[in-house]
Structures are given as C-alpha cells and as structure tokens.
Amino acid sequence: ENVSGFNPFVTVEFVGMRGKTEPGQNVVQHAFDSIIKIPVVPPFFEDTILVKLWNYNAWSSDELMAQGFLSFSAIRSKPLQPRWFNFYGWDKNEITDIASISATGEIVEPNFYLGRLLLSARIERLGDDDELQNAHVEVAKGLDEPAQDQLVLFSDIYQVTGISAKEISVQISCAKSEQSTDFVQRGNNSRHPDDVDKLTGEELDLEFADVPSHQFTSRHG
C-alpha cells in the first residue's frame, strides 16, 4: 500500500540467492499474493534476510523505495506471523535534495509516510526425497489482515518559538492520518523577532489503527 501510484515489486535476498515478485502496474495498493522461496543448505554463517521494495521503471534503473532486515535464526525459532511493516521517507516539497544534506553529515529524520507492506516469513525443512530448487516465486493462498485496534492519539499544542515566519501552523501525522492547527500570526509582544504567538492550547486528535509495525530504512537520495 502506497500514497501515490507506482509499479511496486519485492525482492528477498539471502546467502547469495535472490527472489523477485512480478511488479504491479501504476497502482496505489497492490496484492502480490506471492511466496518467495529461497533454498539454503547449512551450515552457513549468514543471518540477515534482506527484503527490498522497488519501483519498476521501464526506461531507467529501478528505484529502491525501502528496505528491511529479517533474522534467519529468529524465524527458525519462531515464524513471523503476518504483520504490517511501515516505511517512511522525506517530503520532496520540504526536502528537495536529501543526498546533499546527508553528504554534510547531518542526519535528517524521515518526515513523510510512504506506505506499508504486509509480510510473513517461515522456514520449512525439506523431506529426504524433495528436490532442492533454485530461488523462485509461487502463488500464495489468500490471507486475512492482522487484527486492528482503533486508537485516538491526543496532542496538546501550546507555543512555538524560534521560527522565522509571519504565520505558522503545526501538523501532527501518523501513517496516513494527519491533522493541523489553524494558522496564527506572530505576536506583537514576542520576546524574539522570530517568535510567533501562542497557539491557544489547541488540541488535536488522530484516529488510526494500532497494528504491529516496523519502520523500514528508506533510501537516501
């Protein structure tokens, strides 16, 4: 699920093997319904399973949207039940060149919700007569989404200082939900020329679904 139309596909990499789903075509929400199977033969020393979400481009290099890591040893001990993985990036209207900023050594926290991926993982032992195949993709069975609990997040906004602006509004967001205060002007009695007036104790509330989630590491630049 994404906030704008794109051509998503997922890859899974482990011990030199790589599996890939078929891409969706100009979608906002896409059901892959795919199982990526990767064969492994112990012993091996690798533990990190790399999951990547891509945007397919027909005439240029595919764009890496987000990536996350799973632990083989953890999944071997306990299968990962279906859960949503949320991932975040940067609003291009606010941060136009994240690569240049990152090159200076400054760490810019992600400020924009990009989407989420529903994922599960498990390890199955092959029988003695089963053939060890190369990494491949199979059709998955239908899956119900994880249970959700509706919650309300309250945020009390009182005052903002040190911002160079004549008017200001505060926005709070969580996943796809967002809420903003009204714009207010800088007060005449501000102690600092950049101070703005108090936001009169305005209260914001957001309703969102509380689901198990994980923040993926998004691409820099």
Side-chain angles (χ1 to χ4, degrees), residues 131-205:
E131 181 179 356
L132 191 66
Q133 301 178 354
N134 294 326
H136 63 284
V137 177
E138 297 180 359
V139 178
K141 297 179 180 179
L143 176 70
D144 294 330
E145 289 192 17
Q148 301 184 18
D149 294 325
Q150 296 295 324
L151 302 177
V152 177
L153 172 65
F154 291 93
S155 180
D156 297 320
I157 310 299
Y158 294 103
Q159 185 176 8
V160 176
T161 61
I163 303 297
S164 180
K166 293 182 179 180
E167 294 184 334
I168 193 170
S169 172
V170 175
Q171 181 185 82
I172 303 295
S173 62
C174 181
K176 294 185 294 184
S177 301
E178 64 180 35
Q179 186 68 266
S180 301
T181 66
D182 294 332
F183 277 91
V184 296
Q185 296 183 345
R186 187 175 64 205
N188 294 328
N189 298 324
S190 298
R191 289 171 294 178
H192 187 279
D194 289 338
D195 285 352
V196 298
D197 203 1
K198 293 184 179 181
L199 294 175
T200 63
E202 187 164 347
E203 183 179 86
L204 301 179
D205 65 276

Side-chain angles (χ1 to χ4, degrees), residues 16 24 57 60 66 69 72 74 80 105 123 200 215:
N57 292 312
S60 61
F69 305 92
F72 177 86
L80 175 66
I123 295 171
T200 63
Q215 180 171 321

Side-chain angles (χ1 to χ4, degrees):
E1 179 178 276
N2 188 53
V3 295
S4 61
F6 75 137
N7 308 312
F9 67 93
V10 175
T11 61
V12 178
E13 303 173 22
F14 187 57
V15 293
M17 299 285 186
R18 183 176 187 263
K20 171 186 173 183
T21 67
E22 291 295 324
Q25 300 295 325
N26 192 28
V27 296
V28 174
Q29 181 170 315
H30 182 65
F32 292 102
D33 291 336
S34 300
I35 300 176
I36 297 178
K37 289 190 173 183
I38 295 181
V40 294
V41 179
F44 49 84
F45 301 99
E46 184 71 35
D47 187 64
T48 300
I49 303 172
L50 183 58
V51 182
K52 295 181 179 180
L53 177 65
W54 300 83
N55 181 26
Y56 170 76
N57 292 312
W59 308 109
S60 61
S61 299
D62 297 330
E63 180 184 7
L64 177 61
M65 302 293 293
Q67 64 181 8
F69 305 92
L70 301 174
S71 168
F72 177 86
S73 58
I75 297 173
R76 181 173 57 184
S77 301
K78 183 179 181 180
L80 175 66
Q81 298 301 317
R83 58 178 288 186
W84 285 107
F85 288 80
N86 296 337
F87 46 96
Y88 297 81
W90 297 270
D91 188 340
K92 295 181 179 179
N93 295 323
E94 297 181 12
I95 303 177
T96 56
D97 191 354
I98 184 63
S100 298
I101 298 176
S102 300
T104 65
E106 181 179 353
I107 299 176
V108 182
E109 293 291 336
N111 67 342
F112 189 71
Y113 173 74
L114 295 176
R116 59 180 184 168
L117 179 68
L118 183 60
L119 179 71
S120 67
R122 67 183 185 275
I123 295 171
E124 296 180 351
R125 183 183 297 274
L126 294 177
D128 295 336
D129 297 330
D130 292 336
E131 181 179 356
L132 191 66
Q133 301 178 354
N134 294 326
H136 63 284
V137 177
E138 297 180 359
V139 178
K141 297 179 180 179
L143 176 70
D144 294 330
E145 289 192 17
Q148 301 184 18
D149 294 325
Q150 296 295 324
L151 302 177
V152 177
L153 172 65
F154 291 93
S155 180
D156 297 320
I157 310 299
Y158 294 103
Q159 185 176 8
V160 176
T161 61
I163 303 297
S164 180
K166 293 182 179 180
E167 294 184 334
I168 193 170
S169 172
V170 175
Q171 181 185 82
I172 303 295
S173 62
C174 181
K176 294 185 294 184
S177 301
E178 64 180 35
Q179 186 68 266
S180 301
T181 66
D182 294 332
F183 277 91
V184 296
Q185 296 183 345
R186 187 175 64 205
N188 294 328
N189 298 324
S190 298
R191 289 171 294 178
H192 187 279
D194 289 338
D195 285 352
V196 298
D197 203 1
K198 293 184 179 181
L199 294 175
T200 63
E202 187 164 347
E203 183 179 86
L204 301 179
D205 65 276
L206 291 175
E207 294 188 5
F208 63 97
D210 179 30
V211 298
S213 62
H214 172 76
Q215 180 171 321
F216 272 49
T217 302
S218 297
R219 178 178 65 91
H220 286 254

